[in-house]
PDB file of all heavy atoms in Angstrom:
ATOM      1  N   LEU A 172     179.022  34.377  92.814  1.00 95.00           N
ATOM      2  CA  LEU A 172     180.097  34.698  91.934  1.00 95.00           C
ATOM      3  C   LEU A 172     180.416  33.402  91.054  1.00 95.00           C
ATOM      4  O   LEU A 172     180.719  33.515  89.837  1.00 95.00           O
ATOM      5  CB  LEU A 172     181.361  35.163  92.640  1.00 95.00           C
ATOM      6  CG  LEU A 172     182.539  35.474  91.862  1.00 95.00           C
ATOM      7  CD1 LEU A 172     182.264  36.597  90.739  1.00 95.00           C
ATOM      8  CD2 LEU A 172     183.705  35.887  92.727  1.00 95.00           C
ATOM      9  N   ALA A 173     180.450  32.264  91.775  1.00 94.00           N
ATOM     10  CA  ALA A 173     180.881  31.040  91.059  1.00 94.00           C
ATOM     11  C   ALA A 173     179.906  30.606  90.088  1.00 94.00           C
ATOM     12  O   ALA A 173     180.354  30.106  88.957  1.00 94.00           O
ATOM     13  CB  ALA A 173     181.125  29.897  92.147  1.00 94.00           C
ATOM     14  N   VAL A 174     178.590  30.742  90.315  1.00 95.00           N
ATOM     15  CA  VAL A 174     177.690  30.306  89.268  1.00 95.00           C
ATOM     16  C   VAL A 174     177.776  31.072  88.121  1.00 95.00           C
ATOM     17  O   VAL A 174     177.498  30.693  86.938  1.00 95.00           O
ATOM     18  CB  VAL A 174     176.246  30.282  89.861  1.00 95.00           C
ATOM     19  CG1 VAL A 174     176.059  29.168  90.960  1.00 95.00           C
ATOM     20  CG2 VAL A 174     175.681  31.487  90.344  1.00 95.00           C
ATOM     21  N   CYS A 175     178.030  32.484  88.365  1.00 95.00           N
ATOM     22  CA  CYS A 175     178.169  33.331  87.083  1.00 95.00           C
ATOM     23  C   CYS A 175     179.397  32.959  86.271  1.00 95.00           C
ATOM     24  O   CYS A 175     179.445  32.931  85.133  1.00 95.00           O
ATOM     25  CB  CYS A 175     178.267  34.765  87.597  1.00 95.00           C
ATOM     26  SG  CYS A 175     176.566  35.400  88.330  1.00 95.00           S
ATOM     27  N   ILE A 176     180.461  32.672  87.061  1.00 93.00           N
ATOM     28  CA  ILE A 176     181.712  32.402  86.312  1.00 93.00           C
ATOM     29  C   ILE A 176     181.588  31.043  85.636  1.00 93.00           C
ATOM     30  O   ILE A 176     182.071  30.894  84.445  1.00 93.00           O
ATOM     31  CB  ILE A 176     182.955  32.340  87.288  1.00 93.00           C
ATOM     32  CG1 ILE A 176     183.215  33.679  87.764  1.00 93.00           C
ATOM     33  CG2 ILE A 176     184.130  31.859  86.585  1.00 93.00           C
ATOM     34  CD1 ILE A 176     184.336  33.815  88.884  1.00 93.00           C
ATOM     35  N   VAL A 177     181.005  30.060  86.230  1.00 91.00           N
ATOM     36  CA  VAL A 177     180.740  28.693  85.656  1.00 91.00           C
ATOM     37  C   VAL A 177     179.929  28.942  84.383  1.00 91.00           C
ATOM     38  O   VAL A 177     180.251  28.178  83.339  1.00 91.00           O
ATOM     39  CB  VAL A 177     180.127  27.763  86.572  1.00 91.00           C
ATOM     40  CG1 VAL A 177     179.566  26.536  85.924  1.00 91.00           C
ATOM     41  CG2 VAL A 177     181.040  27.399  87.658  1.00 91.00           C
ATOM     42  N   SER A 178     178.884  29.770  84.452  1.00 90.00           N
ATOM     43  CA  SER A 178     178.108  29.935  83.333  1.00 90.00           C
ATOM     44  C   SER A 178     178.816  30.514  82.146  1.00 90.00           C
ATOM     45  O   SER A 178     178.731  30.010  80.944  1.00 90.00           O
ATOM     46  CB  SER A 178     176.911  30.823  83.611  1.00 90.00           C
ATOM     47  OG  SER A 178     176.144  30.118  84.608  1.00 90.00           O
ATOM     48  N   ILE A 179     179.594  31.670  82.434  1.00 88.00           N
ATOM     49  CA  ILE A 179     180.373  32.215  81.401  1.00 88.00           C
ATOM     50  C   ILE A 179     181.394  31.344  80.785  1.00 88.00           C
ATOM     51  O   ILE A 179     181.704  31.262  79.588  1.00 88.00           O
ATOM     52  CB  ILE A 179     180.960  33.548  81.890  1.00 88.00           C
ATOM     53  CG1 ILE A 179     179.878  34.533  82.208  1.00 88.00           C
ATOM     54  CG2 ILE A 179     181.870  34.300  80.880  1.00 88.00           C
ATOM     55  CD1 ILE A 179     180.320  35.805  83.080  1.00 88.00           C
ATOM     56  N   ALA A 180     182.128  30.675  81.752  1.00 84.00           N
ATOM     57  CA  ALA A 180     183.230  29.775  81.288  1.00 84.00           C
ATOM     58  C   ALA A 180     182.586  28.575  80.431  1.00 84.00           C
ATOM     59  O   ALA A 180     183.199  28.167  79.390  1.00 84.00           O
ATOM     60  CB  ALA A 180     183.881  29.125  82.339  1.00 84.00           C
ATOM     61  N   GLY A 181     181.406  28.071  80.863  1.00 80.00           N
ATOM     62  CA  GLY A 181     180.736  27.066  80.103  1.00 80.00           C
ATOM     63  C   GLY A 181     180.498  27.477  78.647  1.00 80.00           C
ATOM     64  O   GLY A 181     180.736  26.798  77.751  1.00 80.00           O
ATOM     65  N   LEU A 182     179.893  28.716  78.525  1.00 80.00           N
ATOM     66  CA  LEU A 182     179.700  29.197  77.259  1.00 80.00           C
ATOM     67  C   LEU A 182     180.909  29.429  76.400  1.00 80.00           C
ATOM     68  O   LEU A 182     180.938  29.119  75.202  1.00 80.00           O
ATOM     69  CB  LEU A 182     178.884  30.555  77.268  1.00 80.00           C
ATOM     70  CG  LEU A 182     177.570  30.445  77.721  1.00 80.00           C
ATOM     71  CD1 LEU A 182     176.811  31.770  77.819  1.00 80.00           C
ATOM     72  CD2 LEU A 182     176.580  29.700  76.690  1.00 80.00           C
ATOM     73  N   GLY A 183     181.989  29.870  77.029  1.00 78.00           N
ATOM     74  CA  GLY A 183     183.240  30.077  76.383  1.00 78.00           C
ATOM     75  C   GLY A 183     183.734  28.827  75.850  1.00 78.00           C
ATOM     76  O   GLY A 183     184.325  28.662  74.719  1.00 78.00           O
ATOM     77  N   MET A 184     183.615  27.679  76.646  1.00 76.00           N
ATOM     78  CA  MET A 184     184.229  26.369  76.260  1.00 76.00           C
ATOM     79  C   MET A 184     183.275  25.812  74.959  1.00 76.00           C
ATOM     80  O   MET A 184     183.911  25.269  73.987  1.00 76.00           O
ATOM     81  CB  MET A 184     184.019  25.433  77.363  1.00 76.00           C
ATOM     82  CG  MET A 184     185.056  25.517  78.451  1.00 76.00           C
ATOM     83  SD  MET A 184     185.076  24.237  79.639  1.00 76.00           S
ATOM     84  CE  MET A 184     183.426  24.166  80.042  1.00 76.00           C
ATOM     85  N   PHE A 185     181.998  25.951  75.064  1.00 72.00           N
ATOM     86  CA  PHE A 185     181.157  25.502  74.038  1.00 72.00           C
ATOM     87  C   PHE A 185     181.450  26.268  72.663  1.00 72.00           C
ATOM     88  O   PHE A 185     181.508  25.552  71.703  1.00 72.00           O
ATOM     89  CB  PHE A 185     179.770  25.572  74.464  1.00 72.00           C
ATOM     90  CG  PHE A 185     179.257  24.643  75.527  1.00 72.00           C
ATOM     91  CD1 PHE A 185     178.662  25.114  76.637  1.00 72.00           C
ATOM     92  CD2 PHE A 185     179.548  23.146  75.295  1.00 72.00           C
ATOM     93  CE1 PHE A 185     178.258  24.118  77.589  1.00 72.00           C
ATOM     94  CE2 PHE A 185     179.238  22.353  76.393  1.00 72.00           C
ATOM     95  CZ  PHE A 185     178.558  22.797  77.494  1.00 72.00           C
ATOM     96  N   PHE A 186     181.634  27.468  72.740  1.00 71.00           N
ATOM     97  CA  PHE A 186     181.871  28.231  71.577  1.00 71.00           C
ATOM     98  C   PHE A 186     183.234  28.157  70.979  1.00 71.00           C
ATOM     99  O   PHE A 186     183.478  28.204  69.761  1.00 71.00           O
ATOM    100  CB  PHE A 186     181.513  29.779  71.830  1.00 71.00           C
ATOM    101  CG  PHE A 186     180.031  30.041  71.822  1.00 71.00           C
ATOM    102  CD1 PHE A 186     179.512  30.326  72.947  1.00 71.00           C
ATOM    103  CD2 PHE A 186     179.298  29.876  70.651  1.00 71.00           C
ATOM    104  CE1 PHE A 186     178.044  30.614  72.993  1.00 71.00           C
ATOM    105  CE2 PHE A 186     177.934  30.035  70.684  1.00 71.00           C
ATOM    106  CZ  PHE A 186     177.299  30.444  71.805  1.00 71.00           C
ATOM    107  N   SER A 187     184.258  27.923  71.965  1.00 69.00           N
ATOM    108  CA  SER A 187     185.641  27.842  71.396  1.00 69.00           C
ATOM    109  C   SER A 187     186.059  26.441  70.963  1.00 69.00           C
ATOM    110  O   SER A 187     186.843  26.227  70.156  1.00 69.00           O
ATOM    111  CB  SER A 187     186.643  28.325  72.533  1.00 69.00           C
ATOM    112  OG  SER A 187     186.437  27.512  73.617  1.00 69.00           O
ATOM    113  N   ARG A 188     185.500  25.442  71.761  1.00 65.00           N
ATOM    114  CA  ARG A 188     185.840  23.994  71.531  1.00 65.00           C
ATOM    115  C   ARG A 188     184.786  23.189  70.945  1.00 65.00           C
ATOM    116  O   ARG A 188     184.925  21.943  70.708  1.00 65.00           O
ATOM    117  CB  ARG A 188     186.430  23.384  72.897  1.00 65.00           C
ATOM    118  CG  ARG A 188     187.703  24.025  73.306  1.00 65.00           C
ATOM    119  CD  ARG A 188     188.417  23.245  74.320  1.00 65.00           C
ATOM    120  NE  ARG A 188     189.720  23.643  74.754  1.00 65.00           N
ATOM    121  CZ  ARG A 188     190.555  23.172  75.580  1.00 65.00           C
ATOM    122  NH1 ARG A 188     190.087  22.172  76.332  1.00 65.00           N
ATOM    123  NH2 ARG A 188     191.818  23.584  75.761  1.00 65.00           N
ATOM    124  N   GLY A 189     183.530  23.729  70.974  1.00 63.00           N
ATOM    125  CA  GLY A 189     182.470  22.903  70.554  1.00 63.00           C
ATOM    126  C   GLY A 189     181.993  21.931  71.547  1.00 63.00           C
ATOM    127  O   GLY A 189     182.455  21.822  72.677  1.00 63.00           O
ATOM    128  N   SER A 190     180.971  21.139  71.225  1.00 66.00           N
ATOM    129  CA  SER A 190     180.385  20.208  72.172  1.00 66.00           C
ATOM    130  C   SER A 190     179.483  19.253  71.436  1.00 66.00           C
ATOM    131  O   SER A 190     179.193  19.441  70.266  1.00 66.00           O
ATOM    132  CB  SER A 190     179.490  20.997  73.129  1.00 66.00           C
ATOM    133  OG  SER A 190     178.926  20.024  74.180  1.00 66.00           O
ATOM    134  N   VAL A 191     179.273  18.225  72.063  1.00 68.00           N
ATOM    135  CA  VAL A 191     178.322  17.182  71.467  1.00 68.00           C
ATOM    136  C   VAL A 191     176.971  17.762  71.505  1.00 68.00           C
ATOM    137  O   VAL A 191     176.624  18.636  72.150  1.00 68.00           O
ATOM    138  CB  VAL A 191     178.384  15.805  72.308  1.00 68.00           C
ATOM    139  CG1 VAL A 191     179.654  15.193  72.126  1.00 68.00           C
ATOM    140  CG2 VAL A 191     177.992  16.092  73.753  1.00 68.00           C
ATOM    141  N   GLY A 192     176.121  17.226  70.612  1.00 75.00           N
ATOM    142  CA  GLY A 192     174.768  17.709  70.504  1.00 75.00           C
ATOM    143  C   GLY A 192     174.682  18.795  69.428  1.00 75.00           C
ATOM    144  O   GLY A 192     175.585  19.194  68.784  1.00 75.00           O
ATOM    145  N   GLY A 193     173.319  19.058  69.185  1.00 77.00           N
ATOM    146  CA  GLY A 193     173.090  19.963  68.104  1.00 77.00           C
ATOM    147  C   GLY A 193     172.838  21.512  68.538  1.00 77.00           C
ATOM    148  O   GLY A 193     172.996  21.780  69.734  1.00 77.00           O
ATOM    149  N   PRO A 194     172.414  22.301  67.578  1.00 82.00           N
ATOM    150  CA  PRO A 194     172.303  23.744  67.997  1.00 82.00           C
ATOM    151  C   PRO A 194     171.180  23.975  69.003  1.00 82.00           C
ATOM    152  O   PRO A 194     171.278  24.949  69.750  1.00 82.00           O
ATOM    153  CB  PRO A 194     171.923  24.437  66.655  1.00 82.00           C
ATOM    154  CG  PRO A 194     171.424  23.299  65.746  1.00 82.00           C
ATOM    155  CD  PRO A 194     172.279  22.144  66.244  1.00 82.00           C
ATOM    156  N   MET A 195     170.213  23.142  69.095  1.00 86.00           N
ATOM    157  CA  MET A 195     169.173  23.308  70.083  1.00 86.00           C
ATOM    158  C   MET A 195     169.682  23.306  71.479  1.00 86.00           C
ATOM    159  O   MET A 195     169.295  23.926  72.378  1.00 86.00           O
ATOM    160  CB  MET A 195     167.976  22.358  69.842  1.00 86.00           C
ATOM    161  CG  MET A 195     167.220  22.632  68.509  1.00 86.00           C
ATOM    162  SD  MET A 195     166.231  24.157  68.766  1.00 86.00           S
ATOM    163  CE  MET A 195     164.930  23.774  69.995  1.00 86.00           C
ATOM    164  N   GLN A 196     170.507  22.289  71.647  1.00 86.00           N
ATOM    165  CA  GLN A 196     171.091  22.148  73.025  1.00 86.00           C
ATOM    166  C   GLN A 196     172.048  23.239  73.345  1.00 86.00           C
ATOM    167  O   GLN A 196     172.153  23.676  74.493  1.00 86.00           O
ATOM    168  CB  GLN A 196     172.044  20.748  73.015  1.00 86.00           C
ATOM    169  CG  GLN A 196     171.067  19.570  72.866  1.00 86.00           C
ATOM    170  CD  GLN A 196     171.990  18.345  73.003  1.00 86.00           C
ATOM    171  OE1 GLN A 196     172.773  18.053  73.915  1.00 86.00           O
ATOM    172  NE2 GLN A 196     171.737  17.386  71.986  1.00 86.00           N
ATOM    173  N   LEU A 197     172.781  23.756  72.301  1.00 86.00           N
ATOM    174  CA  LEU A 197     173.629  24.915  72.485  1.00 86.00           C
ATOM    175  C   LEU A 197     172.831  26.081  72.867  1.00 86.00           C
ATOM    176  O   LEU A 197     173.154  26.946  73.780  1.00 86.00           O
ATOM    177  CB  LEU A 197     174.569  25.270  71.254  1.00 86.00           C
ATOM    178  CG  LEU A 197     175.584  26.387  71.448  1.00 86.00           C
ATOM    179  CD1 LEU A 197     176.446  26.015  72.703  1.00 86.00           C
ATOM    180  CD2 LEU A 197     176.303  26.507  70.220  1.00 86.00           C
ATOM    181  N   TRP A 198     171.811  26.296  72.304  1.00 89.00           N
ATOM    182  CA  TRP A 198     170.879  27.485  72.618  1.00 89.00           C
ATOM    183  C   TRP A 198     170.255  27.294  74.017  1.00 89.00           C
ATOM    184  O   TRP A 198     170.045  28.338  74.700  1.00 89.00           O
ATOM    185  CB  TRP A 198     169.656  27.585  71.561  1.00 89.00           C
ATOM    186  CG  TRP A 198     170.136  28.355  70.345  1.00 89.00           C
ATOM    187  CD1 TRP A 198     170.359  27.914  69.015  1.00 89.00           C
ATOM    188  CD2 TRP A 198     170.262  29.833  70.361  1.00 89.00           C
ATOM    189  NE1 TRP A 198     170.643  28.994  68.233  1.00 89.00           N
ATOM    190  CE2 TRP A 198     170.665  30.106  68.989  1.00 89.00           C
ATOM    191  CE3 TRP A 198     170.241  30.898  71.180  1.00 89.00           C
ATOM    192  CZ2 TRP A 198     170.997  31.334  68.510  1.00 89.00           C
ATOM    193  CZ3 TRP A 198     170.569  32.142  70.869  1.00 89.00           C
ATOM    194  CH2 TRP A 198     170.883  32.430  69.561  1.00 89.00           C
ATOM    195  N   ALA A 199     169.851  26.101  74.365  1.00 92.00           N
ATOM    196  CA  ALA A 199     169.386  25.781  75.712  1.00 92.00           C
ATOM    197  C   ALA A 199     170.300  26.196  76.701  1.00 92.00           C
ATOM    198  O   ALA A 199     169.975  26.787  77.670  1.00 92.00           O
ATOM    199  CB  ALA A 199     168.932  24.373  75.694  1.00 92.00           C
ATOM    200  N   LEU A 200     171.609  25.800  76.561  1.00 89.00           N
ATOM    201  CA  LEU A 200     172.625  26.163  77.504  1.00 89.00           C
ATOM    202  C   LEU A 200     172.970  27.576  77.589  1.00 89.00           C
ATOM    203  O   LEU A 200     173.194  28.138  78.641  1.00 89.00           O
ATOM    204  CB  LEU A 200     173.878  25.332  77.136  1.00 89.00           C
ATOM    205  CG  LEU A 200     174.008  23.791  77.312  1.00 89.00           C
ATOM    206  CD1 LEU A 200     175.139  23.161  76.661  1.00 89.00           C
ATOM    207  CD2 LEU A 200     173.834  23.530  78.750  1.00 89.00           C
ATOM    208  N   ALA A 201     172.909  28.225  76.456  1.00 89.00           N
ATOM    209  CA  ALA A 201     173.187  29.743  76.477  1.00 89.00           C
ATOM    210  C   ALA A 201     171.980  30.420  77.287  1.00 89.00           C
ATOM    211  O   ALA A 201     172.251  31.385  78.036  1.00 89.00           O
ATOM    212  CB  ALA A 201     173.187  30.191  75.037  1.00 89.00           C
ATOM    213  N   ILE A 202     170.761  29.911  76.993  1.00 94.00           N
ATOM    214  CA  ILE A 202     169.590  30.586  77.709  1.00 94.00           C
ATOM    215  C   ILE A 202     169.779  30.302  79.217  1.00 94.00           C
ATOM    216  O   ILE A 202     169.519  31.196  80.109  1.00 94.00           O
ATOM    217  CB  ILE A 202     168.275  30.124  77.234  1.00 94.00           C
ATOM    218  CG1 ILE A 202     168.073  30.690  75.752  1.00 94.00           C
ATOM    219  CG2 ILE A 202     167.213  30.534  78.149  1.00 94.00           C
ATOM    220  CD1 ILE A 202     166.947  29.997  75.048  1.00 94.00           C
ATOM    221  N   ASN A 203     170.159  29.138  79.560  1.00 95.00           N
ATOM    222  CA  ASN A 203     170.273  28.636  80.986  1.00 95.00           C
ATOM    223  C   ASN A 203     171.372  29.645  81.639  1.00 95.00           C
ATOM    224  O   ASN A 203     171.106  30.079  82.809  1.00 95.00           O
ATOM    225  CB  ASN A 203     170.733  27.267  81.068  1.00 95.00           C
ATOM    226  CG  ASN A 203     170.721  26.765  82.486  1.00 95.00           C
ATOM    227  OD1 ASN A 203     170.136  27.331  83.361  1.00 95.00           O
ATOM    228  ND2 ASN A 203     171.259  25.536  82.608  1.00 95.00           N
ATOM    229  N   ALA A 204     172.425  29.777  81.007  1.00 93.00           N
ATOM    230  CA  ALA A 204     173.658  30.618  81.411  1.00 93.00           C
ATOM    231  C   ALA A 204     173.071  32.072  81.710  1.00 93.00           C
ATOM    232  O   ALA A 204     173.324  32.700  82.771  1.00 93.00           O
ATOM    233  CB  ALA A 204     174.715  30.695  80.538  1.00 93.00           C
ATOM    234  N   MET A 205     172.231  32.675  80.780  1.00 94.00           N
ATOM    235  CA  MET A 205     171.813  34.033  80.987  1.00 94.00           C
ATOM    236  C   MET A 205     170.833  34.094  82.183  1.00 94.00           C
ATOM    237  O   MET A 205     170.869  35.119  82.870  1.00 94.00           O
ATOM    238  CB  MET A 205     171.216  34.556  79.657  1.00 94.00           C
ATOM    239  CG  MET A 205     172.228  34.676  78.639  1.00 94.00           C
ATOM    240  SD  MET A 205     171.635  35.556  77.103  1.00 94.00           S
ATOM    241  CE  MET A 205     170.696  34.029  76.424  1.00 94.00           C
ATOM    242  N   LEU A 206     170.013  33.119  82.255  1.00 97.00           N
ATOM    243  CA  LEU A 206     169.075  33.077  83.393  1.00 97.00           C
ATOM    244  C   LEU A 206     169.703  33.012  84.640  1.00 97.00           C
ATOM    245  O   LEU A 206     169.302  33.561  85.724  1.00 97.00           O
ATOM    246  CB  LEU A 206     167.982  31.875  83.214  1.00 97.00           C
ATOM    247  CG  LEU A 206     167.032  31.973  81.977  1.00 97.00           C
ATOM    248  CD1 LEU A 206     166.241  30.778  81.850  1.00 97.00           C
ATOM    249  CD2 LEU A 206     166.040  33.224  82.390  1.00 97.00           C
ATOM    250  N   VAL A 207     170.787  32.077  84.761  1.00 97.00           N
ATOM    251  CA  VAL A 207     171.512  31.939  86.022  1.00 97.00           C
ATOM    252  C   VAL A 207     172.026  33.293  86.427  1.00 97.00           C
ATOM    253  O   VAL A 207     171.907  33.644  87.575  1.00 97.00           O
ATOM    254  CB  VAL A 207     172.708  30.960  85.762  1.00 97.00           C
ATOM    255  CG1 VAL A 207     173.685  31.073  87.103  1.00 97.00           C
ATOM    256  CG2 VAL A 207     172.143  29.564  85.762  1.00 97.00           C
ATOM    257  N   ILE A 208     172.764  34.035  85.479  1.00 96.00           N
ATOM    258  CA  ILE A 208     173.395  35.355  85.738  1.00 96.00           C
ATOM    259  C   ILE A 208     172.267  36.291  86.152  1.00 96.00           C
ATOM    260  O   ILE A 208     172.489  37.030  87.192  1.00 96.00           O
ATOM    261  CB  ILE A 208     174.181  35.771  84.496  1.00 96.00           C
ATOM    262  CG1 ILE A 208     175.423  34.908  84.253  1.00 96.00           C
ATOM    263  CG2 ILE A 208     174.657  37.284  84.762  1.00 96.00           C
ATOM    264  CD1 ILE A 208     176.138  35.157  83.031  1.00 96.00           C
ATOM    265  N   GLY A 209     171.149  36.342  85.531  1.00 97.00           N
ATOM    266  CA  GLY A 209     170.129  37.306  85.870  1.00 97.00           C
ATOM    267  C   GLY A 209     169.570  37.032  87.156  1.00 97.00           C
ATOM    268  O   GLY A 209     169.265  37.973  88.018  1.00 97.00           O
ATOM    269  N   ALA A 210     169.230  35.786  87.530  1.00 98.00           N
ATOM    270  CA  ALA A 210     168.725  35.366  88.771  1.00 98.00           C
ATOM    271  C   ALA A 210     169.738  35.593  89.927  1.00 98.00           C
ATOM    272  O   ALA A 210     169.329  36.112  91.005  1.00 98.00           O
ATOM    273  CB  ALA A 210     168.300  33.869  88.760  1.00 98.00           C
ATOM    274  N   ALA A 211     170.986  35.411  89.736  1.00 97.00           N
ATOM    275  CA  ALA A 211     171.994  35.668  90.682  1.00 97.00           C
ATOM    276  C   ALA A 211     172.023  37.144  91.092  1.00 97.00           C
ATOM    277  O   ALA A 211     172.309  37.609  92.193  1.00 97.00           O
ATOM    278  CB  ALA A 211     173.401  35.139  90.298  1.00 97.00           C
ATOM    279  N   ALA A 212     171.960  38.067  89.994  1.00 97.00           N
ATOM    280  CA  ALA A 212     171.902  39.497  90.211  1.00 97.00           C
ATOM    281  C   ALA A 212     170.713  39.947  91.075  1.00 97.00           C
ATOM    282  O   ALA A 212     170.869  40.867  91.912  1.00 97.00           O
ATOM    283  CB  ALA A 212     171.927  40.185  88.830  1.00 97.00           C
ATOM    284  N   MET A 213     169.648  39.263  90.794  1.00 98.00           N
ATOM    285  CA  MET A 213     168.360  39.592  91.521  1.00 98.00           C
ATOM    286  C   MET A 213     168.440  39.163  93.059  1.00 98.00           C
ATOM    287  O   MET A 213     168.156  39.848  93.864  1.00 98.00           O
ATOM    288  CB  MET A 213     167.191  39.109  90.917  1.00 98.00           C
ATOM    289  CG  MET A 213     166.793  39.521  89.581  1.00 98.00           C
ATOM    290  SD  MET A 213     166.345  41.256  89.541  1.00 98.00           S
ATOM    291  CE  MET A 213     164.793  41.332  90.315  1.00 98.00           C
ATOM    292  N   ALA A 214     169.113  37.916  93.124  1.00 97.00           N
ATOM    293  CA  ALA A 214     169.240  37.377  94.530  1.00 97.00           C
ATOM    294  C   ALA A 214     170.119  38.416  95.407  1.00 97.00           C
ATOM    295  O   ALA A 214     169.919  38.749  96.488  1.00 97.00           O
ATOM    296  CB  ALA A 214     169.802  36.048  94.478  1.00 97.00           C
ATOM    297  N   LEU A 215     171.320  38.822  94.724  1.00 96.00           N
ATOM    298  CA  LEU A 215     172.261  39.697  95.355  1.00 96.00           C
ATOM    299  C   LEU A 215     171.513  41.093  95.679  1.00 96.00           C
ATOM    300  O   LEU A 215     171.671  41.823  96.701  1.00 96.00           O
ATOM    301  CB  LEU A 215     173.406  39.891  94.484  1.00 96.00           C
ATOM    302  CG  LEU A 215     174.456  40.884  95.112  1.00 96.00           C
ATOM    303  CD1 LEU A 215     175.025  40.442  96.385  1.00 96.00           C
ATOM    304  CD2 LEU A 215     175.676  41.080  94.034  1.00 96.00           C
ATOM    305  N   ARG A 216     170.721  41.637  94.662  1.00 97.00           N
ATOM    306  CA  ARG A 216     170.153  42.896  94.821  1.00 97.00           C
ATOM    307  C   ARG A 216     169.160  42.909  96.090  1.00 97.00           C
ATOM    308  O   ARG A 216     169.190  43.819  96.871  1.00 97.00           O
ATOM    309  CB  ARG A 216     169.255  43.237  93.531  1.00 97.00           C
ATOM    310  CG  ARG A 216     168.465  44.460  93.650  1.00 97.00           C
ATOM    311  CD  ARG A 216     167.440  44.441  92.382  1.00 97.00           C
ATOM    312  NE  ARG A 216     166.363  45.597  92.674  1.00 97.00           N
ATOM    313  CZ  ARG A 216     165.502  45.857  91.931  1.00 97.00           C
ATOM    314  NH1 ARG A 216     165.254  44.963  90.838  1.00 97.00           N
ATOM    315  NH2 ARG A 216     164.628  46.792  92.149  1.00 97.00           N
ATOM    316  N   TYR A 217     168.393  41.907  96.270  1.00 97.00           N
ATOM    317  CA  TYR A 217     167.412  41.888  97.319  1.00 97.00           C
ATOM    318  C   TYR A 217     168.129  41.538  98.679  1.00 97.00           C
ATOM    319  O   TYR A 217     167.566  41.949  99.712  1.00 97.00           O
ATOM    320  CB  TYR A 217     166.307  40.907  97.048  1.00 97.00           C
ATOM    321  CG  TYR A 217     165.393  41.430  96.077  1.00 97.00           C
ATOM    322  CD1 TYR A 217     165.304  40.971  94.764  1.00 97.00           C
ATOM    323  CD2 TYR A 217     164.513  42.527  96.348  1.00 97.00           C
ATOM    324  CE1 TYR A 217     164.368  41.429  93.830  1.00 97.00           C
ATOM    325  CE2 TYR A 217     163.547  43.118  95.409  1.00 97.00           C
ATOM    326  CZ  TYR A 217     163.567  42.500  94.134  1.00 97.00           C
ATOM    327  OH  TYR A 217     162.720  43.039  93.216  1.00 97.00           O
ATOM    328  N   ALA A 218     169.200  40.864  98.648  1.00 95.00           N
ATOM    329  CA  ALA A 218     169.960  40.613  99.901  1.00 95.00           C
ATOM    330  C   ALA A 218     170.576  41.930 100.368  1.00 95.00           C
ATOM    331  O   ALA A 218     170.509  42.341 101.531  1.00 95.00           O
ATOM    332  CB  ALA A 218     171.188  39.543  99.610  1.00 95.00           C
TER     333      ALA A 218
END
């Protein structure tokens, strides 16, 4: 639950307050967040 909330909150912060770095870094973080949520869902499913 925490990794999913951290991922969503992190994206919320980046889009609402901005961040250092360029758009490539923002896209990388967005993809990372989606992968975290997807992997967490699969881990829970098989457990």
Side-chain angles (χ1 to χ4, degrees):
L172 179 61
V174 295
C175 291
I176 295 175
V177 166
S178 299
I179 295 170
L182 286 177
M184 288 188 307
F185 288 127
F186 283 112
S187 65
R188 292 191 171 179
S190 178
V191 294
M195 289 294 289
Q196 294 182 50
L197 185 57
W198 275 109
L200 290 169
I202 293 171
N203 189 12
M205 290 185 287
L206 289 175
V207 167
I208 295 170
M213 295 299 289
L215 179 61
R216 172 190 173 189
Y217 284 109

